[in-house]
Amino acid sequence: MRTIQWLMLTFATTVTASGLAGALSPASAAPPPPAKNCPAFGWSEGLGSYLKPDAAFPTSDTKTIPTPDCNFHQWSWEAFVWATALVKDSGSGAAVPRFMTLATPDELLNNAENAGAPRPRPLTLAARAQVFHGMAGFTEGAGAIVEADGNMLVAQNGYPVYASVHMNQSYFNTARKNLIATGGYQSQPADSSFAVGDAVFKATWLRLDPGQAPPAGAYTTQAQVPVLENNVTPGLITIRPAPGKFVTVMVALVGLHVVGYTENHPEFLWGTFELKNNSPQTPDNTFAPSASRSDPKSYTLYKGGTPFSQVNIAASPGANRPQLRLDPATQKLTPVTNVVLENQTGGENQPNGVGNIFAITAQAQGFLSGLKGPQSTFANYALDGTVWMLPNSYNLNSNQTSAVGSVNLANATAETFVQNADNTPIKNVLNCFLCHNPTSYSFQTPPPAKLPNRLIALSHVLSIGSPYEVPNSISGRLLMRPDPFRK
């Protein structure tokens, strides 16, 4: 999935009050119009049903074919409200977002009968070891210190932005039967897949310094994060978690993917949300990495005045430029990453699609802001867009060019370095289906061996504990002579 940059145009009074006025738009800018009857009459009032402790995950928005564009974005908000509904722990009385009670990848290799059952869970980020399942010292965690493309997003305070993955019970059960590390992927029927109601969520977290104020409006919680170290081997330097060493810190939720199998859509619907003021955002198909363009305002992940020619640039250790460095004493990394979101609604390509997203978001935020705190906190998050395929069209040849809706969809906190600012031609688009498709485990250069294409391969948690998993580290070639450019 590639990260997209969205312009939050100034909405009506309700939206402006929610802090969604955009960085690059004039204060008087108006959003484009939505389709007639979008959102549906009374839709936002119905969001309250997804806050109930026993609420079912939404699946019926796509029951009718053809399904209007509006329904897909309404579904994304329904899924977001379901996922962020505060659920009380009967033991401690503490309330946490529902998605944080769901199973994380480390439990997939647990053979206990109740593995994957919803319950309060401590948030442990990037605990994964550098060895594979079955080897001494193997551990697994709820995310990594790098993004899915292997690059690291370094926040303005010098810490990496972490991710966590959370699955509902039915998704978890199917994934556990199809793990590569246990041979399930290789032995299950080729056409087996997930089922209606299966859902998975990916959250991104900003680590805070002690005493640091979180970004305005963010949900915060405690988490365990690994202590990082520099590991040097002949010709290579790697920044990685130090085995078994963790610290407890405060983190702020800055992004959330909502992914669900709905009626007629076995490819899953993919929606993504971000905290307001993560970064500047530009209208779809207009971003250019220009040295003469910048935003004077500072954001959570962008320093005001940084030229757009210097944003979304990946760094790595060693001889590469720019050179990523870790100070083991402070746990800070340099250089920091300045982020811009390049498509305001993910390159939405349907009639009235951009207006639909704005109108639905305005109503959903209005509903959430009217709730009592702390549930109202989640009014500070906004939908970037939703991507899907034509109904019941998902097959072994499906990929990112099969996408409909926000065809360049990504999240600035999760796919920072793989953005594309033009949604035409369709052969060039970059979205979730670029990586999440039937070929997920068949394109690697041996080792590891290529695995057969399967419909279920769109899930990356199947690679847990195997060589197909994205490494929980970042490496670069080690300089063998003095660096003439180092100051």
Side-chain angles (χ1 to χ4, degrees), residues 131-284:
V131 297
F132 304 130
H133 175 59
M135 300 175 67
F138 171 76
T139 58
E140 186 54 77
I145 62 172
V146 294
E147 296 184 354
D149 66 345
N151 288 307
M152 180 184 288
L153 168 56
V154 180
Q156 295 294 301
N157 63 5
Y159 294 124
V161 172
Y162 297 92
S164 62
V165 175
H166 311 261
M167 302 161 275
N168 70 359
Q169 183 76 66
S170 56
Y171 187 104
F172 176 89
N173 292 343
T174 299
R176 188 160 63 160
K177 292 178 183 178
N178 288 273
L179 295 179
I180 294 172
T182 60
Y185 181 94
Q186 299 88 322
S187 62
Q188 290 290 315
D191 60 351
S192 64
S193 190
F194 291 98
V196 172
D198 291 354
V200 60
F201 307 89
K202 183 175 183 178
T204 49
W205 303 94
L206 172 69
R207 176 180 172 178
L208 304 175
D209 271 316
Q212 179 184 354
Y219 170 79
T220 59
T221 189
Q222 281 193 333
Q224 280 202 318
V225 299
V227 173
L228 302 182
E229 65 179 10
N230 293 308
N231 181 64
V232 179
T233 56
L236 196 70
I237 182 169
T238 300
I239 298 172
R240 68 179 192 182
K245 295 182 179 181
F246 292 87
V247 292
T248 300
V249 300
M250 290 298 296
V251 294
L253 179 69
V254 290
L256 185 67
H257 291 335
V258 296
V259 184
Y261 190 140
T262 68
E263 295 189 48
N264 300 306
H265 286 274
E267 80 282 8
F268 288 66
L269 308 189
W270 301 70
T272 195
F273 291 76
E274 290 194 51
L275 179 66
K276 65 180 183 181
N277 292 326
N278 271 348
S279 70
Q281 305 166 353
T282 58
D284 291 359

Side-chain angles (χ1 to χ4, degrees), residues 56-69:
F57 183 74
T59 61
S60 61
D61 294 78
T62 55
K63 183 175 182 179
T64 301
I65 299 175
T67 305
D69 176 271

